[in-house]
Amino acid sequence: MPFGVLVHFVAVTVEARTAPKREAILEATIRVLRDRGLSGLKVEEVAREAEVGKGTVYLYFQDKQDLLKALVEHHTFAYYRKVEEVVSRGGPFRERLAEVLRLRVDWVEEWRGLWAAVAREAQPEDTTGWLRGMHEHYQRLLERLVQEGKARGEVRPELDTCLTAASIAALACNPQLEFPREAYLEHLLEVLLKGVAL
Amino acid sequence: MPFGVLVHFVAVTVEARTAPKREAILEATIRVLRDRGLSGLKVEEVAREAEVGKGTVYLYFQDKQDLLKALVEHHTFAYYRKVEEVVSRGGPFRERLAEVLRLRVDWVEEWRGLWAAVAREAQPEDTTGWLRGMHEHYQRLLERLVQEGKARGEVRPELDTCLTAASIAALACNPQLEFPREAYLEHLLEVLLKGVAL
Amino acid sequence: MPFGVLVHFVAVTVEARTAPKREAILEATIRVLRDRGLSGLKVEEVAREAEVGKGTVYLYFQDKQDLLKALVEHHTFAYYRKVEEVVSRGGPFRERLAEVLRLRVDWVEEWRGLWAAVAREAQPEDTTGWLRGMHEHYQRLLERLVQEGKARGEVRPELDTCLTAASIAALACNPQLEFPREAYLEHLLEVLLKGVAL
Amino acid sequence: MPFGVLVHFVAVTVEARTAPKREAILEATIRVLRDRGLSGLKVEEVAREAEVGKGTVYLYFQDKQDLLKALVEHHTFAYYRKVEEVVSRGGPFRERLAEVLRLRVDWVEEWRGLWAAVAREAQPEDTTGWLRGMHEHYQRLLERLVQEGKARGEVRPELDTCLTAASIAALACNPQLEFPREAYLEHLLEVLLKGVAL
DNA sequence: GATGAATGAGGTTTCATTCAT
DNA sequence: CATGAATGAAACCTCATTCAT
């Protein structure tokens, strides 16, 4: 995690403790986003959902873009924090990977595929760079997981660590879930572990 | 492909031949979406990009939602058509899967992660049902691929065909590309084929 | 009837004979107006109703205002022509008045109260003057009717011919006030109280 | 006055007291309508005339139709209120009728013949029913006036109260035909011939 | 700090008018 | 003559933002 991001990360965490109303607004925002979509994400709607006045939103966020930026960072970091917890708790590679996939699917479900769109609205200039900055941390975590998987003799050693982490990250972004969640997760894991080839 | 979808599919194809201006507007739309994002996707901007008058857009589409709906269907079906072509041409499973992944990555790149968001704006009520309807066709194609892979002795026969197709579909949705494309694709393939486990 | 109006009147009549399509468009216009109201009175709608192309309307009328102006004059003069026929055919005052009222009610029904609004759209600058010009002819006809009623001993001779004609014109809908307010009001009252019959 | 109308009536009156800006917008609307006609009745123009922002209009009215509907009801009820005051104050029939006609003429003047057109724009579906609903109250008032005229020996007792009231309402402009056409015509004639006075 | 009435820039949409066929 | 695809000025309406309370 780059220094700048870390600082921000800590700042967000601290603010969350000292400014419950800011937190409430962020929670309301993701709720409105899920329920009403991007075009239904109006400041007034967020304020109503958070049960505060419209002007109050502007006491905690500079403007709507600032709110969206905070939203993306808030939820993305929260997600990464959970992944970090899973990766850091040690144990069999297989179990940790299963948990990582589970978190992934939950996250995709939470955003309903709107993550990238919101990110772009939040920071139109250099969206990619911004997201890459955050993603970096996630990628490192998965690399650590793969590394430890190799060390434990549970991952094929000839695989490139970096790309394997990326492949795991690339999995399960599809919001089209039409299978029982558990069976689906189990199968994703199976495929990731053993592949589809005979 | 369900009958309704097929009819629509044909209609779109035919229209594409007989209404070049409609086609031009759709192409302009995806271009504006890529370049300016969802909030930059203004009808005026689309018209300028398509080099037609603002009113002309409304000759070919009822309103902005209708345009977005057509956009999603147009590009999604075009994508599925290409996948179908690949799946249908026979040959080694491995090569066909590689091509499917390549198309997938191109498609993700084309939409820059905005697909779901656009779909939701296009049809807020029952977005899921609409997308699932289209996705059905894609899922069937991948199932056919897996089936044939098994028949050719290139896919583990104990895998559930349906879920395996879903897993392939779930791969590479992540718009965060930070690796050389070819290496990335090759690795995705490798992981899918052999898995990560030792 | 002033000279200018007469010329126009004749011109319209002639055109009606030599330009059936112009006539058809005018008929279509009043039909659309009745069915869809002023905001539904679109040139395209009129063209469709007249079963001609949209551009054809512009071959017979300079623009929409010109069409509306022709519409108002066409129907107003047609109405006056019928009144003239009734007044001129002689016979008992009572019968002729009955017919005049009947025509009046038909006319109000035909326009559904939109006459004044259409007139204003047709000639925003000096609507009043324009309408007064046309109304002049009608007023003269009613005055002739009253005069003959008096001559036949069927109308109270002490009534002012001019005001009595205006009162008749004002019945069953006439927004045109063209007399001294107080005298006008007083006379309306007088007529209602004692009637016009001897 | 039907219950629903009464409720609305009271609501409007109350609102007028508690929402001065709403009132100001309505007053501005009728002014713009008089000065610029129906096609000059733009929301922006109304806002400028009322000296408020364009968006403010939409705080008090759902859309332009809603504004027009409120306008029609506001002015129509205000007119009826004045008529009610006149009818209720007792005294000679002749004087009250004179005042009623005066109010009528003022009202026609105020609307410049645009009442029906505005009403149709305000509620295109079932304009007639809506207007008839409001008109009912007015008709009842005039019937009361005629009734009392008869009681005072100032109105010919053989006249039908209902039709006589309708005839008065039809004078100086009323597009509302709500009686059998022939009876209506005959009675108009009767009134005009012999008058209502004993 | 908190609020929400007020604003107007800016988006969507309509429709009178033109002009190449 | 007749047409209707194309246009863009101008209308309606939304909603992020401000500010007096």
Side-chain angles (χ1 to χ4, degrees):
Chain A
M1 186 189 248
F3 187 65
V5 173
L6 184 62
V7 166
H8 196 118
F9 181 65
V10 170
V12 166
T13 310
V14 168
E15 270 187 78
R17 284 205 193 101
T18 58
K21 215 164 253 188
R22 190 182 198 274
E23 192 79 352
I25 291 169
L26 281 172
E27 291 304 331
T29 306
I30 191 83
R31 255 172 0 245
V32 171
L33 188 69
R34 285 183 43 143
D35 295 349
R36 306 240 206 290
L38 242 184
S39 68
L41 187 64
K42 295 150 201 170
V43 174
E44 178 147 27
E45 205 68 28
V46 168
R48 176 168 26 257
E49 178 75 26
E51 295 181 300
V52 298
K54 206 190 322 183
T56 305
V57 174
Y58 287 86
L59 292 179
Y60 293 95
F61 302 93
Q62 292 229 287
D63 52 21
K64 200 186 177 186
Q65 270 197 16
D66 186 39
L67 170 62
L68 294 187
K69 211 170 162 222
L71 180 79
V72 169
E73 293 187 341
H74 180 76
H75 283 264
T76 304
F77 284 134
Y79 168 50
Y80 291 166
R81 232 167 8 229
K82 287 185 212 151
V83 172
E84 183 157 33
E85 197 274 320
V86 167
V87 169
S88 300
R89 76 175 165 223
F93 171 77
R94 183 197 164 94
E95 282 173 16
R96 284 188 273 171
L97 180 57
E99 201 59 38
V100 163
L101 288 181
R102 184 182 310 273
L103 288 172
R104 175 66 163 177
V105 167
D106 288 346
W107 191 72
V108 166
E109 180 73 353
E110 177 175 67
W111 282 94
R112 300 258 175 95
L114 299 179
W115 185 71
V118 174
R120 183 140 191 194
E121 300 304 312
Q123 180 150 335
E125 56 326 332
D126 193 27
T127 312
T128 309
W130 177 47
L131 294 183
R132 208 194 303 272
M134 288 189 283
H135 188 70
E136 198 95 350
H137 180 56
Y138 183 52
Q139 171 74 18
R140 294 295 160 267
L141 288 175
L142 296 185
E143 285 172 10
R144 217 176 95 201
L145 181 64
V146 171
Q147 203 77 53
E148 294 182 25
K150 283 183 180 174
R152 299 176 65 100
E154 295 182 67
V155 170
R156 288 196 284 142
E158 73 272 22
L159 290 177
D160 179 88
T161 300
C162 195
L163 283 171
T164 303
S167 295
I168 295 171
L171 198 60
C173 306
N174 197 333
Q176 300 301 311
L177 295 183
E178 33 191 1
F179 300 101
R181 185 183 132 94
E182 289 310 317
Y184 177 72
L185 281 169
E186 201 174 350
H187 195 272
L188 276 180
L189 180 63
E190 172 73 14
V191 167
L192 254 187
L193 288 174
K194 300 200 197 145
V196 298
L198 193 59
Chain B
M1 187 188 243
F3 187 66
V5 173
L6 185 62
V7 167
H8 195 118
F9 182 66
V10 170
V12 166
T13 309
V14 168
E15 269 186 79
R17 285 206 192 98
T18 58
K21 211 159 263 188
R22 190 182 197 273
E23 193 79 352
I25 290 169
L26 281 173
E27 292 304 331
T29 306
I30 191 83
R31 245 153 32 226
V32 170
L33 188 68
R34 284 184 42 142
D35 295 350
R36 306 242 207 293
L38 242 183
S39 68
L41 187 64
K42 296 149 200 172
V43 173
E44 182 147 27
E45 203 69 28
V46 168
R48 174 166 29 257
E49 178 76 25
E51 295 181 299
V52 298
K54 204 187 327 180
T56 306
V57 175
Y58 288 89
L59 286 180
Y60 293 95
F61 303 94
Q62 293 231 283
D63 51 20
K64 201 185 176 187
Q65 269 197 18
D66 187 40
L67 170 62
L68 294 187
K69 209 171 165 223
L71 180 79
V72 168
E73 292 187 341
H74 181 76
H75 283 265
T76 303
F77 283 134
Y79 167 50
Y80 292 166
R81 223 157 27 216
K82 286 186 212 148
V83 172
E84 181 158 33
E85 197 275 318
V86 166
V87 169
S88 298
R89 75 176 166 226
F93 170 78
R94 184 197 161 93
E95 282 173 17
R96 284 190 273 172
L97 180 58
E99 201 58 39
V100 163
L101 288 180
R102 182 181 312 273
L103 288 172
R104 175 64 164 180
V105 168
D106 288 346
W107 191 71
V108 166
E109 179 72 352
E110 177 175 65
W111 282 94
R112 301 259 174 94
L114 299 178
W115 186 71
V118 173
R120 182 142 189 193
E121 300 304 311
Q123 182 150 333
E125 57 326 331
D126 193 29
T127 311
T128 308
W130 178 46
L131 295 184
R132 209 195 301 274
M134 288 190 281
H135 187 70
E136 198 95 349
H137 180 54
Y138 184 52
Q139 169 75 16
R140 294 295 160 268
L141 288 176
L142 295 185
E143 287 173 9
R144 218 177 92 202
L145 182 64
V146 171
Q147 203 79 53
E148 293 181 24
K150 285 182 179 174
R152 299 176 65 98
E154 295 181 66
V155 169
R156 290 196 282 142
E158 73 271 21
L159 289 177
D160 179 89
T161 301
C162 198
L163 283 170
T164 303
S167 295
I168 294 172
L171 198 59
C173 306
N174 197 333
Q176 300 301 310
L177 295 182
E178 34 190 2
F179 301 102
R181 185 183 134 95
E182 290 308 318
Y184 177 71
L185 280 168
E186 202 173 351
H187 195 271
L188 276 179
L189 181 62
E190 173 70 14
V191 167
L192 256 186
L193 288 174
K194 300 201 196 143
V196 297
L198 191 60
Chain C
M1 186 188 249
F3 186 66
V5 173
L6 184 62
V7 167
H8 196 119
F9 182 65
V10 171
V12 165
T13 309
V14 168
E15 269 186 79
R17 284 204 193 100
T18 58
K21 214 165 253 187
R22 190 182 198 272
E23 193 80 351
I25 291 169
L26 282 173
E27 292 304 332
T29 306
I30 191 81
R31 250 165 13 239
V32 171
L33 187 68
R34 284 183 43 143
D35 296 349
R36 307 240 207 290
L38 242 185
S39 68
L41 187 64
K42 294 150 203 169
V43 174
E44 178 147 28
E45 204 69 27
V46 169
R48 173 166 32 256
E49 179 75 25
E51 294 180 302
V52 299
K54 206 189 324 182
T56 305
V57 174
Y58 287 87
L59 291 179
Y60 293 94
F61 303 92
Q62 292 227 285
D63 52 21
K64 200 187 177 185
Q65 270 197 15
D66 187 40
L67 170 62
L68 293 187
K69 212 171 162 221
L71 180 78
V72 169
E73 293 187 341
H74 181 77
H75 283 265
T76 303
F77 284 134
Y79 167 49
Y80 293 165
R81 224 154 29 214
K82 286 186 211 151
V83 172
E84 182 157 34
E85 197 274 320
V86 168
V87 169
S88 301
R89 74 180 167 218
F93 171 78
R94 182 198 164 96
E95 283 174 16
R96 284 189 272 171
L97 181 57
E99 200 59 37
V100 164
L101 288 180
R102 185 184 310 275
L103 289 172
R104 175 66 162 177
V105 168
D106 288 346
W107 190 71
V108 166
E109 180 74 352
E110 177 175 66
W111 283 95
R112 301 257 173 96
L114 299 179
W115 185 70
V118 174
R120 182 140 192 196
E121 299 305 311
Q123 182 150 330
E125 58 322 337
D126 192 28
T127 311
T128 309
W130 177 49
L131 295 183
R132 209 196 303 272
M134 288 190 283
H135 188 69
E136 199 93 352
H137 181 57
Y138 184 52
Q139 171 74 17
R140 294 295 160 267
L141 289 174
L142 296 184
E143 287 171 10
R144 216 175 94 200
L145 181 64
V146 171
Q147 203 78 53
E148 293 182 23
K150 285 182 180 174
R152 298 176 65 99
E154 296 183 65
V155 169
R156 289 195 282 142
E158 71 272 23
L159 289 177
D160 180 89
T161 301
C162 191
L163 283 170
T164 304
S167 296
I168 295 172
L171 197 58
C173 197
N174 180 20
Q176 298 305 309
L177 297 182
E178 35 190 0
F179 295 95
R181 184 187 135 94
E182 290 310 316
Y184 179 72
L185 281 168
E186 200 174 354
H187 198 272
L188 275 180
L189 177 64
E190 177 73 11
V191 166
L192 256 185
L193 285 174
K194 300 198 197 144
V196 296
L198 192 56
Chain D
M1 186 189 248
F3 187 65
V5 173
L6 184 64
V7 167
H8 195 118
F9 181 64
V10 170
V12 165
T13 309
V14 168
E15 271 187 76
R17 285 206 193 98
T18 58
K21 210 159 263 188
R22 190 181 197 272
E23 192 81 350
I25 291 169
L26 282 173
E27 293 304 332
T29 306
I30 193 82
R31 251 163 15 236
V32 171
L33 188 69
R34 285 183 41 142
D35 296 350
R36 306 242 207 291
L38 242 184
S39 69
L41 187 64
K42 297 149 201 171
V43 174
E44 182 147 27
E45 203 69 28
V46 169
R48 175 165 30 256
E49 178 75 25
E51 295 181 299
V52 299
K54 202 191 328 179
T56 305
V57 175
Y58 289 90
L59 286 180
Y60 293 95
F61 303 94
Q62 293 231 283
D63 51 20
K64 200 187 177 186
Q65 269 197 19
D66 187 40
L67 170 62
L68 294 186
K69 212 172 163 222
L71 181 78
V72 168
E73 293 188 341
H74 181 76
H75 283 265
T76 302
F77 285 134
Y79 167 50
Y80 292 166
R81 229 165 13 225
K82 286 185 212 150
V83 172
E84 183 158 33
E85 197 275 319
V86 167
V87 168
S88 300
R89 74 175 166 225
F93 171 77
R94 182 197 163 95
E95 283 173 16
R96 284 190 272 173
L97 180 57
E99 200 57 38
V100 163
L101 288 181
R102 185 183 310 275
L103 287 172
R104 175 63 163 180
V105 168
D106 289 345
W107 190 70
V108 166
E109 179 72 350
E110 177 175 67
W111 282 94
R112 302 259 174 94
L114 299 178
W115 185 70
V118 174
R120 183 143 189 191
E121 299 304 311
Q123 182 151 334
E125 53 333 324
D126 192 28
T127 312
T128 308
W130 178 46
L131 294 185
R132 209 196 301 273
M134 288 189 283
H135 186 70
E136 198 95 350
H137 180 55
Y138 184 52
Q139 170 74 16
R140 294 294 160 267
L141 288 175
L142 296 184
E143 287 172 10
R144 219 177 92 200
L145 181 64
V146 171
Q147 202 79 52
E148 293 182 22
K150 285 182 180 175
R152 299 177 64 98
E154 295 181 67
V155 170
R156 290 195 281 139
E158 73 271 21
L159 290 176
D160 180 89
T161 301
C162 192
L163 283 171
T164 303
S167 294
I168 295 171
L171 196 60
C173 199
N174 182 20
Q176 298 301 310
L177 296 182
E178 35 190 1
F179 295 95
R181 186 184 131 94
E182 290 309 316
Y184 179 72
L185 281 168
E186 199 174 351
H187 198 270
L188 274 180
L189 177 63
E190 175 73 13
V191 166
L192 253 186
L193 285 174
K194 300 197 195 148
V196 297
L198 192 56

